[in-house]
């Protein structure tokens, strides 16, 4: 947030209407209701590794942030966390890139978390795909699941079907 002489912090403050002040490693937020909430969500997104452009999508009411804590899933076992993060990332980032492309969501993997930014349906599809990878499903099958979901959402948006069934 303090990069470029605090330009990002200033931009976030201007766009949200909240007063933000960074003192060392502490960020203080002042304001009421939505400006504080959206500022904190964007700061969280930035801290999970999303770039400014992706984090600022949260200003749009259609976008959400969700964080999956791998400590909750793997009971604080570092070797398991590392192995399953690698499954989500893939070789040279290929699995993560494919998940993002097929779900239309943005994914950040770091520390003991996997964070997702996206529109509600896209975020839910990405989360389900990641959960399936963490459960040990093969990448190919997870990608096929996302392709079916994408096709179903497209048909739904065109009015060809009324609701999609859970895969």
């Amino acid at each position: 947030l303090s990069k470029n002489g605090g330009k990002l912090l200033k931009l976030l403050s201007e766009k949200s209407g909240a007063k933000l002040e960074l003192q060392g490693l502490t960020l203080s937020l002042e304001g009421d209701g939505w400006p504080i909430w959206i500022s904190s969500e964007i700061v969280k997104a930035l801290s999970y590794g999303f770039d400014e452009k992706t984090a600022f999508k949260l200003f749009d009411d259609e976008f959400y942030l969700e964080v999956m804590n791998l400590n909750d899933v793997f009971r604080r076992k570092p070797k398991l966390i590392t192995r399953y993060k690698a499954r989500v990332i893939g070789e040279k980032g290929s699995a993560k890139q494919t998940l993002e492309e097929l779900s239309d969501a943005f994914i950040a993997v770091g520390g003991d978390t996997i964070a997702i930014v996206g529109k509600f349906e896209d975020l839910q599809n990405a989360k389900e795909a990641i959960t399936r990878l963490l459960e040990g499903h093969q990448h190919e099958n997870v990608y096929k699941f996302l392709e079916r979901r994408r096709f179903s959402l497209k048909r739904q948006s065109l009015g060809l079907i009324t609701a999609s069934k859970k895969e």
Side-chain angles (χ1 to χ4, degrees):
L1 286 175
S2 61
K3 291 179 188 173
N4 301 327
K7 287 181 183 177
L8 181 57
L9 188 62
K10 185 177 179 181
L11 180 61
L12 177 55
S13 183
E14 288 171 1
K15 282 194 76 144
S16 70
K19 182 180 176 192
L20 294 91
E21 188 177 330
L22 186 62
Q23 296 176 340
L25 296 176
T26 305
L27 178 66
S28 63
L29 300 155
E30 290 182 31
D32 293 318
W34 187 84
I36 293 293
W37 180 80
I38 196 63
S39 295
S40 67
E41 289 295 291
I42 291 170
V43 168
K44 282 185 216 172
L46 292 166
S47 73
Y48 286 116
F50 290 106
D51 61 21
E52 175 186 335
K53 182 179 177 184
T54 302
F56 276 43
K57 287 182 181 293
L58 294 169
F59 277 117
D60 182 334
D61 289 342
E62 292 186 11
F63 282 82
Y64 301 89
L65 168 67
E66 179 139 352
V67 179
M68 301 171 73
N69 187 334
L70 298 179
N71 281 316
D72 295 341
V73 179
F74 298 112
R75 298 189 179 111
R76 301 190 187 282
K77 295 181 180 173
K79 286 183 181 179
L80 278 179
I81 291 171
T82 300
R83 181 181 331 150
Y84 282 95
K85 279 185 354 187
R87 291 201 79 215
V88 173
I89 296 168
E91 188 174 326
K92 297 182 182 174
S94 62
K96 177 181 166 281
Q97 182 179 354
T98 302
L99 290 169
E100 289 177 323
E101 288 172 3
L102 292 175
S103 69
D104 289 326
F106 302 90
I107 301 167
V109 181
D112 296 336
T113 61
I114 299 172
I116 309 165
V117 168
K119 293 182 178 179
F120 184 77
E121 286 290 333
D122 301 335
L123 184 146
Q124 293 303 316
N125 290 337
K127 183 179 178 185
E128 177 66 25
I130 291 166
T131 299
R132 288 177 183 216
L133 286 176
L134 297 177
E135 290 172 345
H137 292 252
Q138 293 181 0
H139 285 82
E140 180 181 332
N141 293 336
V142 172
Y143 300 154
K144 285 179 184 176
F145 156 78
L146 283 173
E147 288 168 349
R148 286 191 307 269
R149 278 288 177 94
R150 188 179 205 176
F151 180 72
S152 178
L153 284 173
K154 188 169 198 139
R155 290 188 61 197
Q156 190 175 350
S157 72
L158 295 173
L160 300 175
I161 58 173
T162 55
S164 62
K165 293 189 280 185
K166 186 167 171 95
E167 301 291 319

